[in-house]
Amino acid sequence: MIVQFVSVLYQNASNGYTVAVYETAETDKIPNSAVRQLRGRNISFTAVGTELPVMRNAEFEMEGSWKESERYGKQYYVDWFRIILPKTRDGILGYLSSGIIKGIGPSTAAKIVDLFGTDTFRVFDESPKELLKVKGITEKRLEEIMETYRGSAGIRELLAFLAPYHVTPKKAEKIQEHFGVKAARIVKEQPYRLCEVKGFGFLTVDPIARASRDFAPDDPERVKAAIRYVLKEAEKEGHLFLESPEVIERALRLLNQGFAPDTVKTADAVTAGNSLVLTEKKLGADGRAVFLKENRDAEISAAYHINRILSASAPVYDVEQLLEETQAEFGIILAEKQKEAVRMVFKSPLSIITGGPGKGKTTNLRIILRIYERLERNGEVLACAPTGRARKRLAESTGYPAMTIHKALYLKEDDDYDTDADMLLEDFIIADEFTMADMRLASILFSRIKSGARVVLVGDVDQLPSVGPGNVFKEMIESGVIPVTVLDVFFRQAQNSRIIINSNRMNQNQKNLLYGEDFRFVYADSPEEASVKIQEIYREELAKNQNDPDRVQVLSPLRVNTEAGVNTLNRNLRELVNPPSFSKAEWKAGARLFRVGDKVMQTKNTEAVSNGDIGRLTDISVNRDGQKEITVDYGDVQKNYQEEELEILDHSYAMSIHKSQGAEYPVVIIPVLKSFYPMLRRNVYYTGITRAKERVYLVGTKQALYMAIANGKEERRNTLLGRRIRQAAAKNGYQEASKKAA
């Protein structure tokens, strides 16, 4: 039936589940018990489904079935829907005013319809240049408008094909974004390629592909899709490869689900895998290790370029006199290991400095940079780090301007690993918090460092590894090829910090932690109790810290399914810090509510703002195109977000421990509960605790804390980087570093 949207009753942003009111003129299709109210000639009813359309002034065709709910009465359960291009003047105006076409708001829509009337869509399709007659539409704006319009046409074609499989417009937009203008043709001809799109797992794509193209269970294309999907899923576990028996086992489990055992046989998976490796070159293999091609290429490239940098001709400096002079200039005396690190930086083109908090990594960098200034007066320096907060911290601690690695490499998005950019021009490169760099990002960085440049990688090897696949920093250290200095002496001021003492004890599997003013334990037996106590502590600490939420940070190992997780804590803490008032504008986007004054974090790298940057929401307004947008102030830059961009914006009163890497906060509050298993791991809590500068609160049970400390088993990550570095070094005749620190 043909319907129009009226209002949202409920929407879950995490899974798209929607309950909304619609109206229709097809009154014969609405049971009397389902009628909400009469609306002129139309009647309204309640619909339930996933990502239902909530666009005003547009018509939709819906199919579904009526079901009786004991609590809510009769509701329409939607199987699929599609947008209908309107034919009337008012309908066209409503469609263009809805925001579906970027660059056209209500004002511009009215001008277009006034000029072209019911011929509007013919103009869009056949002679779009005529739109330049509309006041306010420039060549540049027309290009943006037409790009969106053509995209919407492609989405309509996609929906026409995918509608029987309950693919919603929002998911169709993701497909269009991934494949571009050829999306409909690709999906029709190669439906298993849908597995490439985020949110389309094999179990979702398989019934679509089999129904649309009648694939047999053991069809080679189906088997290949399952193998590639298995390897892509392994990336979420940090793996760059899986061994072939495991690939086959996981793939067959997927392929035979819903069929008799051995419908798809081991031989089918072996044949398909060999084709992907040997003929199609979409996978790579080293013995039993099976990679997605891009992951293997990244490892091989990184190993090659690491050795290229390491073996390049670069000046070797005796810095003893400068080392003494610079210590005197700074009024400090370095520990012997710190001095070794400085000497190694000026002997080797590539070196690594590692050590925990309080061991002097920052002081070392300040000394190294000062000596470099005096040695190479015309040398160009690049200081960089993987995230926005790590970049900011590096700049503040060294006094040098710093960039994110993404920005230094001109990578605009997390998944944009274009390798065609120019080499970096800098002569001296410092990359801090390098434990956070995954394989692909590290590979691009090394490939763009010119031969003869001096490179220093800095990090704490005991922290969590990167979110993305690989274990680059640790593999480089353990390769035995790169000179490594391990800082092992506490600075005098660090010896008085229970935070640093306890983090060191945790790393040594010691449970006799010291408690006091700067390291406190608050008992809570359940997630619900922990949540209440975290809020109490947060309120008290805010009062002590000028009510500045940037000075007090809640960290949790889990995001969802617990009252002590990031998502629930964010909602509760926001109401403490930034409660509603008549003077604060709000925007409800799905299940999330944004309010002026909110503390927010961007979760994806873009050109202007980096992944992990934290800012304050300063305005909610309507732009010149009539589109609603949010303005966030990040201190050095302001960014506007429209509705389609809100998914990369999170509240940040609480955040995951993984997301906190590279940052420091005066006060940190962390829940530690038995229900958090299997996140009760030493490196998880070590990373969280070492984010604090002045005070740590652990909220939970000592038993859970002891479980975390005892669980020093590192998550195994399948990577061959260390081996590849050694092989490349042997091939180049480069001898293993003789001064690797113990």
Side-chain angles (χ1 to χ4, degrees):
M1 62 180 159
I2 309 302
V3 305
Q4 286 187 310
F5 167 71
V6 177
S7 63
V8 171
L9 299 178
Y10 173 77
Q11 196 167 45
N12 186 323
S14 63
N15 60 20
Y17 178 79
T18 307
V19 182
V21 178
Y22 295 88
E23 65 178 18
T24 181
E26 299 178 46
T27 55
D28 59 316
K29 295 185 178 178
I30 312 298
N32 290 335
S33 57
V35 175
R36 288 178 61 93
Q37 68 178 90
L38 291 170
R39 298 174 60 87
R41 295 181 180 178
N42 297 345
I43 56 176
S44 64
F45 63 95
T46 302
V48 179
T50 301
E51 294 171 346
L52 295 184
V54 293
M55 183 195 307
R56 297 189 185 279
N57 302 312
E59 289 186 322
F60 311 93
E61 183 180 2
M62 280 186 174
E63 284 189 7
S65 58
W66 296 99
K67 295 181 183 179
E68 188 76 36
S69 164
E70 188 175 315
R71 183 173 179 184
Y72 299 109
K74 191 158 282 189
Q75 297 176 317
Y76 193 62
Y77 283 73
V78 179
D79 291 329
W80 74 271
F81 64 88
R82 67 180 180 90
I83 303 169
I84 298 172
L85 271 184
K87 295 180 176 62
T88 66
R89 183 186 178 93
D90 288 344
I92 294 168
L93 178 60
Y95 182 88
L96 294 180
S97 300
S98 68
I100 195 169
I101 300 176
K102 193 172 182 180
I104 298 180
S107 174
T108 304
K111 293 174 187 175
I112 292 172
V113 177
D114 283 345
L115 189 58
F116 302 112
T118 55
D119 275 346
T120 294
F121 289 126
R122 181 193 61 76
V123 171
F124 272 83
D125 291 329
E126 299 175 10
S127 50
K129 286 286 185 183
E130 288 189 47
L131 291 168
L132 292 171
K133 296 175 183 176
V134 177
K135 188 176 180 181
I137 296 184
T138 62
E139 289 274 4
K140 184 176 180 181
R141 192 173 173 193
L142 177 61
E143 188 178 325
E144 178 184 56
I145 288 169
M146 291 310 300
E147 183 180 353
T148 312
Y149 177 74
R150 292 186 186 108
S152 68
I155 288 170
R156 290 195 299 276
E157 187 181 356
L158 270 174
L159 283 171
F161 176 68
L162 294 171
Y165 314 111
H166 306 164
V167 173
T168 64
K170 192 168 183 180
K171 288 185 176 179
E173 285 176 17
K174 289 183 178 180
I175 297 168
Q176 178 89 5
E177 185 180 335
H178 182 81
F179 293 117
V181 294
K182 298 180 180 177
R185 181 166 61 82
I186 289 171
V187 170
K188 288 176 184 177
E189 295 176 2
Q190 301 170 279
Y192 281 109
R193 286 195 62 189
L194 278 172
C195 291
E196 298 172 21
V197 182
K198 187 176 181 182
F200 284 83
F202 180 83
L203 293 177
T204 301
V205 173
D206 193 39
I208 296 173
R210 290 177 53 231
S212 65
R213 292 285 303 275
D214 198 26
F215 285 97
D218 59 353
D219 187 285
E221 292 306 308
R222 181 172 184 259
V223 181
K224 290 173 190 175
I227 290 171
R228 294 189 71 195
Y229 175 73
V230 159
L231 289 169
K232 194 69 182 172
E233 286 294 289
E235 287 185 350
K236 297 176 183 177
E237 303 166 40
H239 300 314
L240 288 165
F241 72 84
L242 292 176
E243 296 214 344
S244 51
E246 187 171 3
V247 174
I248 291 168
E249 180 190 342
R250 292 191 188 193
L252 290 178
R253 200 182 309 144
L254 272 177
L255 291 160
N256 284 319
Q257 192 167 326
F259 296 99
D262 293 328
T263 299
V264 184
K265 300 176 175 57
T266 298
D268 299 321
V270 171
T271 301
N274 286 339
S275 176
L276 285 167
V277 173
L278 301 173
T279 306
E280 300 177 40
K281 310 291 185 186
K282 291 178 179 177
L283 303 183
D286 292 87
R288 287 158 52 106
V290 182
F291 296 76
L292 291 168
K293 181 179 183 298
E294 57 268 27
N295 286 339
R296 184 171 183 268
D297 288 349
E299 256 194 4
I300 292 170
S301 173
Y304 167 78
H305 287 291
I306 285 167
N307 278 279
R308 173 183 60 79
I309 295 163
L310 196 55
S311 58
S313 176
V316 175
Y317 293 106
D318 181 347
V319 295
E320 291 305 315
Q321 184 174 342
L322 283 174
L323 186 53
E324 295 303 317
E325 291 172 0
T326 308
Q327 287 180 89
E329 179 185 339
F330 280 65
I332 57 175
I333 299 174
L334 297 180
E336 187 54 39
K337 284 287 186 182
Q338 288 178 297
K339 292 178 183 178
E340 285 181 20
V342 176
R343 295 181 188 117
M344 187 55 67
V345 165
F346 294 101
K347 285 181 181 176
S348 173
L350 173 61
S351 59
I352 292 174
I353 302 173
T354 186
K359 303 287 181 67
K361 296 191 298 294
T362 298
T363 302
N364 248 62
L365 288 181
R366 291 173 61 214
I367 294 285
I368 288 165
L369 283 164
R370 183 71 184 108
I371 291 175
Y372 182 79
E373 283 178 346
R374 297 176 69 178
L375 285 170
E376 299 281 356
R377 297 187 184 277
N378 298 319
E380 293 288 331
V381 175
L382 169 62
C384 59
T387 66
R389 278 168 295 145
R391 172 210 66 79
K392 186 176 181 181
R393 184 177 163 202
L394 177 62
E396 290 171 349
S397 62
T398 63
Y400 260 78
M403 304 174 74
T404 63
I405 296 175
H406 273 83
K407 189 159 285 188
L409 300 176
Y410 298 98
L411 301 175
K412 293 182 182 179
E413 298 182 358
D414 289 323
D415 56 357
D416 176 12
Y417 290 96
D418 176 21
T419 58
D420 294 331
D422 295 333
M423 299 289 279
L424 294 169
L425 299 176
E426 287 82 4
D427 307 291
F428 187 42
I429 297 169
I430 290 175
D432 196 16
E433 297 288 354
F434 208 68
T435 50
M436 300 166 67
D438 65 24
M439 187 68 261
R440 278 170 281 183
L441 180 60
S443 178
I444 296 295
L445 174 63
F446 295 137
S447 73
R448 295 191 189 167
I449 295 173
K450 66 183 182 182
S451 295
R454 197 174 300 275
V455 183
V456 184
L457 307 178
V458 185
D460 182 350
V461 76
D462 293 317
Q463 284 189 25
L464 288 166
S466 58
V467 175
N471 203 353
V472 176
F473 194 63
K474 187 169 186 182
E475 286 282 298
M476 291 181 72
I477 289 172
E478 294 182 351
S479 72
V481 171
I482 303 151
V484 178
T485 308
V486 180
L487 305 183
D488 58 0
V489 176
F490 284 122
F491 272 155
R492 183 174 56 194
Q493 59 268 37
Q495 293 172 0
N496 299 318
S497 166
R498 294 182 185 88
I499 296 170
I500 292 174
I501 292 169
N502 287 338
S503 64
N504 193 57
R505 289 187 177 185
M506 286 175 65
N507 261 345
Q508 297 173 17
N509 194 20
Q510 296 178 15
K511 301 179 179 66
N512 57 329
L513 306 186
L514 303 178
Y515 298 96
E517 178 62 24
D518 59 348
F519 199 97
R520 302 182 182 182
F521 199 97
V522 178
Y523 178 80
D525 192 44
S526 67
E528 292 75 18
E529 185 181 0
S531 177
V532 170
K533 292 192 174 178
I534 285 169
Q535 291 173 63
E536 291 172 355
I537 296 165
Y538 192 84
R539 187 187 293 112
E540 292 169 4
E541 283 295 337
L542 276 180
K544 296 176 188 175
N545 285 274
Q546 301 85 48
N547 288 316
D548 181 359
D550 290 334
R551 293 184 56 81
V552 186
Q553 186 62 54
V554 176
L555 305 177
S556 177
L558 298 178
R559 289 195 65 87
V560 295
N561 301 328
T562 172
E563 288 295 306
V566 171
N567 291 356
T568 302
L569 286 169
N570 255 325
R571 288 194 292 271
N572 294 333
L573 296 172
R574 192 270 296 278
E575 297 309 307
L576 292 177
V577 178
N578 188 33
S581 78
F582 290 114
S583 63
K584 297 175 187 172
E586 294 183 350
W587 184 356
K588 193 171 191 306
R592 296 192 302 166
L593 178 71
F594 291 99
R595 181 180 297 147
V596 168
D598 277 350
K599 178 185 174 187
V600 293
M601 173 175 62
Q602 181 154 309
T603 60
K604 188 175 184 178
N605 284 303
T606 60
E607 194 166 358
V609 182
S610 299
N611 180 9
D613 280 350
I614 290 177
R616 199 72 80 241
L617 198 162
T618 57
D619 192 26
I620 298 174
S621 59
V622 176
N623 65 19
R624 65 185 178 88
D625 293 324
Q627 294 172 314
K628 207 171 185 180
E629 64 183 20
I630 277 173
T631 302
V632 178
D633 184 358
Y634 289 98
D636 52 353
V637 66
Q638 285 194 343
K639 178 171 171 57
N640 294 329
Y641 298 81
Q642 293 176 8
E643 186 168 12
E644 65 271 16
E645 298 175 288
L646 294 184
E647 63 182 19
I648 66 170
L649 207 58
D650 270 352
H651 292 92
S652 58
Y653 304 99
M655 70 177 67
S656 69
I657 291 176
H658 241 128
K659 274 287 183 189
S660 73
Q661 283 184 268
E664 275 189 346
Y665 310 94
V667 180
V668 166
I669 308 166
I670 310 173
V672 51
L673 299 154
K674 285 189 286 185
S675 60
F676 281 5
Y677 185 85
M679 292 303 290
L680 292 176
R681 299 202 310 268
R682 185 187 302 162
N683 60 354
V684 171
Y685 280 87
Y686 171 84
T687 300
I689 286 167
T690 55
R691 300 307 91 207
K693 292 190 288 186
E694 298 173 11
R695 190 154 46 253
V696 167
Y697 290 87
L698 296 179
V699 181
T701 66
K702 292 279 183 74
Q703 185 180 2
L705 176 61
Y706 296 157
M707 288 168 64
I709 293 171
N711 185 9
K713 186 179 179 181
E714 295 183 20
E715 73 181 294
R716 181 182 62 86
R717 291 190 164 202
N718 293 344
T719 170
L720 299 179
L721 179 62
R723 190 175 89 181
R724 294 192 199 279
I725 292 171
R726 287 189 292 274
Q727 289 172 341
K731 185 176 180 181
N732 293 344
Y734 185 83
Q735 299 300 311
E736 292 192 357
S738 59
K739 294 201 173 185
K740 182 184 175 188

